[in-house]
DNA sequence: TCTCCGATTAGAC
DNA sequence: CTAACGGTCTAATCGGAGA
């Protein structure tokens, strides 16, 4: 039985690469993209990495280095990245009928049975580059975990020219390679587990692969055992060709400035309800548990802290934003205590069930998956832009909105923002 | 003592 | 000048409540 040739295709520095598509002048310049609220660095060009900017680092901490070396920081532009991602994924689909979109910038592609795999892998890189302008690396292995690891090698070693296939190595070569990779590079092993593994003398991927499994399982549980088996080439994590429906849907945001008025908080919450319920309806779901939470600024140890939240079980599953919003607004009044500077709030829709072919409640008015009013609302907002029709408590002031002072134009999704049109 | 369930932890990106 | 630190999601595990 031949081993699986599973590829992980990962876009290089994805958000930065998207920005560069429309700003070729940024090639070879240090560039970073910031998270919401211009808070943390979430994507770095190679030049920015070389200057020591860390993934997830708060931007204000980088300011000094940034000014010294002229690093350009951009606010994140998610509609742009989603659009480019879709293009990349469409091209990838032409290489294999079996694939899984793993994240906005990563895709597993089953290339088993592909003739001339080496050449095809390089061709894949070329074509994605030519058709979308996004540079990618390809890692190939016999399991997802090994494909991920191969991708790490492809990214790390320039000599690979962006493609690395672990299946091409002899056992001897493989062991030598794995003995040089820190265990923290393995998919599923983060900083906490790295440290605990290290205490047991497991520092490299090879040591994890060859560790005593029962001991490993006893100390770390089934997840680590699976990871070990995957490193040994036994597939334990299946390719998920269709994305499963969400089990919970969250909408939350840090505010651009501290919120000290209930009305402003309520305005924000109504927007969160609109966003979350739209997602819920797009998967034909209904929720019967709504959670609401607020929070002061956890980083301000000098200020009084308050992080309340409450869960509201609904009498019957629904996807009606008006109904859900009434509960959320009520919750806000319960949770609100004056005198605090609120920095963040959010809602979470849980206990999600499918409105399709599921049995419905005796007391539900209609068997229709989504009420006609909600359908109309979604259509209008899709057609004319998000927020065209909004909840009545969603005021027009938006005094809570996040800061995004460095945003690039919506090149691909808004004609008005294209230069020279 | 067992089972269930909500909260917590750890991870990914 | 000062203050300036993301958002969504899943699975496993923990620990208390109630049977």
């Amino acid at each position: 039985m031949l081993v699986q040739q599973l590829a992980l295709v990962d876009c290089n520095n994805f958000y930065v690469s998207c920005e560069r598509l429309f700003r070729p002048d940024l090639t070879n310049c240090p560039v970073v993209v910031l998270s919401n609220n211009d808070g943390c660095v979430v994507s770095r060009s190679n030049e920015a990495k070389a200057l020591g900017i860390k993934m997830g680092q708060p931007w204000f901490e980088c300011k000094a280095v940034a000014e010294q070396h002229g690093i350009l920081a951009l606010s994140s532009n998610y509609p742009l990245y989603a659009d480019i991602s879709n293009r990349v994924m469409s091209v990838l689909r032409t290489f294999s009928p079996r694939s899984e979109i793993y994240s906005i910038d990563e895709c597993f592609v089953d290339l088993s049975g592909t003739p001339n795999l080496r050449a095809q892998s390089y061709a894949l890189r070329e074509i994605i580059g030519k058709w979308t302008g996004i540079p990618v690396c390809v890692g190939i292995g016999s399991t997802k975990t090994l494909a991920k690891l191969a991708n790490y090698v492809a990214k790390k070693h320039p000599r690979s020219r962006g493609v690395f296939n672990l299946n091409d190595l002899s056992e001897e070569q493989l062991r030598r390679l794995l003995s040089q990779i820190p265990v923290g590079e393995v998919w599923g092993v983060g900083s906490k587990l790295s440290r605990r593994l290290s205490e047991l003398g497991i520092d490299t991927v090879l040591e994890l692969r060859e560790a005593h499994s029962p001991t490993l399982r006893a100390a770390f549980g089934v997840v680590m055992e699976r990871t070990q088996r995957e490193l040994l080439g036994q597939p334990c994590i299946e390719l998920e060709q269709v994305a499963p429906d969400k089990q919970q849907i969250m909408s939350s945001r840090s505010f651009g400035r501290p919120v000290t008025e209930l009305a402003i908080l309520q305005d924000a919450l109504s927007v969160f309800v609109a966003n979350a319920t739209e997602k819920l309806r797009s998967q034909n779901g209904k929720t019967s548990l709504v959670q609401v939470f607020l929070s002061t600024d956890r980083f301000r140890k000098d200020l009084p802290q308050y992080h309340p939240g409450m869960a509201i079980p609904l009498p019957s599953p629904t996807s009606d934003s008006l109904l859900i919003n009434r509960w959320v607004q009520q919750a806000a009044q319960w949770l609100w205590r004056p005198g605090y500077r609120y920095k963040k709030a959010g809602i979470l829709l849980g206990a999600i069930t499918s409105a399709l072919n599921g049995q419905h409640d005796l007391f539900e008015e209609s068997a229709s998956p989504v009420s006609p009013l909600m359908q109309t609302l979604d259509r209008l907002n899709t057609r004319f832009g998000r927020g065209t029709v909004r909840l009545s408590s969603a005021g027009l002031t938006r005094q809570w909105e996040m800061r995004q002072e460095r945003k690039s134009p919506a090149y691909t999704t808004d004609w008005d923002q294209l230069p020279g049109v």
Side-chain angles (χ1 to χ4, degrees):
Chain A
M1 157 93 184
L2 290 168
V3 294
Q4 182 172 223
Q5 302 282 5
L6 182 62
L8 176 70
V9 180
D10 191 327
C11 302
N12 301 349
N13 315 332
F14 183 56
Y15 298 169
V16 166
S17 297
C18 290
E19 297 289 348
R20 278 179 171 167
L21 292 178
F22 301 90
R23 293 281 308 272
D25 56 302
L26 299 182
T27 314
N28 302 322
C29 293
V31 181
V32 299
V33 172
L34 303 177
S35 65
N36 278 340
N37 239 350
D38 293 343
C40 298
V41 173
V42 291
S43 182
R44 307 159 292 158
S45 70
N46 291 345
E47 299 76 16
K49 289 177 189 174
L51 290 172
I53 304 292
K54 298 292 173 223
M55 186 62 176
Q57 202 176 3
W59 175 238
F60 72 88
E61 280 179 20
C62 315
K63 282 265 176 70
V65 194
E67 265 165 42
Q68 196 180 332
H69 294 94
I71 302 177
L72 178 67
L74 298 166
S75 302
S76 40
N77 186 346
Y78 289 107
L80 172 67
Y81 312 147
D83 190 45
I84 304 299
S85 174
N86 288 334
R87 298 183 192 190
V88 171
M89 301 303 170
S90 316
V91 179
L92 277 177
R93 265 196 295 274
T94 66
F95 282 83
S96 167
R98 272 174 51 82
S99 68
E100 171 187 341
I101 297 172
Y102 176 67
S103 73
I104 194 163
D105 73 330
E106 283 177 57
C107 187
F108 289 101
V109 183
D110 189 352
L111 296 179
S112 305
T114 302
N116 228 332
L117 183 56
R118 246 184 106 61
Q120 266 300 95
S121 312
Y122 283 106
L124 186 152
R125 269 198 99 220
E126 285 292 303
I127 291 175
I128 298 275
K130 207 168 279 176
W131 293 2
T132 69
I134 298 293
V136 302
C137 282
V138 184
I140 302 174
S142 55
T143 65
K144 281 184 165 182
T145 305
L146 288 170
K148 277 270 200 184
L149 208 56
N151 196 283
Y152 163 81
V153 178
K155 279 228 166 75
K156 181 113 179 176
H157 297 288
R159 284 178 51 200
S160 71
R161 291 175 21 250
V163 176
F164 195 85
N165 189 342
L166 285 174
N167 292 331
D168 288 345
L169 302 185
S170 68
E171 177 64 18
E172 194 46 46
Q173 292 172 315
L174 179 63
R175 295 186 78 244
R176 187 164 348 125
L177 176 63
L178 298 188
S179 74
Q180 289 163 7
I181 305 177
V183 72
E185 299 300 336
V186 173
W187 191 33
V189 179
S191 60
K192 296 272 168 48
L193 291 173
S194 283
R195 208 166 314 127
R196 284 174 54 204
L197 283 165
S198 185
E199 285 163 13
L200 298 185
I202 299 171
D203 293 293
T204 68
V205 182
L206 184 67
E207 284 163 346
L208 177 59
R209 193 173 86 132
E210 299 186 342
H212 185 241
S213 331
T215 309
L216 206 58
R217 160 138 203 185
F220 298 96
V222 296
V223 180
M224 190 68 80
E225 193 187 25
R226 266 207 296 265
T227 297
Q228 186 188 35
R229 294 166 78 116
E230 284 247 320
L231 286 174
L232 286 162
Q234 307 168 17
C236 304
I237 309 172
E238 290 306 309
L239 197 69
E240 292 189 13
Q241 295 189 255
V242 291
D245 287 340
K246 304 272 179 266
Q247 301 175 23
Q248 48 186 32
I249 295 171
M250 175 158 69
S251 179
S252 74
R253 207 108 304 179
S254 294
F255 302 134
R257 52 179 71 56
V259 165
T260 54
E261 285 172 52
L262 176 57
I264 297 175
L265 173 75
Q266 288 184 303
D267 181 45
L269 285 170
S270 67
V271 172
F272 301 157
V273 169
N275 291 341
T277 53
E278 192 184 329
K279 257 194 216 174
L280 180 66
R281 292 191 295 270
S282 77
Q283 68 172 45
N284 282 303
K286 295 195 173 192
T287 177
S288 45
L289 185 71
V290 178
Q291 284 175 261
V292 183
F293 55 89
L294 349 167
S295 172
T296 49
D297 188 342
R298 290 168 187 272
F299 295 102
R300 292 291 301 270
K301 304 287 190 217
D302 55 321
L303 294 176
Q305 295 289 311
Y306 179 47
H307 314 124
M310 71 188 299
I312 308 157
L314 302 183
S316 69
T318 182
S319 62
D320 185 320
S321 56
L322 301 177
L323 179 60
I324 291 170
N325 193 43
R326 279 197 289 276
W327 287 107
V328 168
Q329 296 303 322
Q330 182 65 56
Q333 294 189 16
W334 279 104
L335 297 174
W336 179 266
R337 292 217 306 238
Y340 291 97
R341 295 158 62 86
Y342 296 91
K343 194 65 202 319
K344 180 176 176 166
I347 67 156
L348 182 69
L349 308 180
I352 293 175
T353 50
S354 171
L356 303 172
N357 65 44
Q359 72 277 63
H360 66 102
D361 197 282
L362 261 181
F363 305 103
E364 260 178 277
E365 300 80 22
S366 139
S368 153
V370 173
S371 81
L373 173 61
M374 289 297 120
Q375 285 181 26
T376 306
L377 185 147
D378 286 341
R379 271 192 219 115
L380 286 170
N381 283 338
T382 304
R383 173 108 193 259
F384 300 107
R386 177 169 262 184
T388 301
V389 183
R390 45 158 64 102
L391 299 167
S392 64
S393 55
L396 302 170
T397 50
R398 300 272 189 124
Q399 290 176 65
W400 50 275
E401 277 205 317
M402 61 187 182
R403 286 189 303 272
Q404 279 203 303
E405 291 163 358
R406 308 155 169 277
K407 197 160 172 202
S408 58
Y411 303 105
T412 64
T413 50
D414 189 346
W415 288 108
D416 296 338
Q417 296 191 32
L418 264 183
V421 173

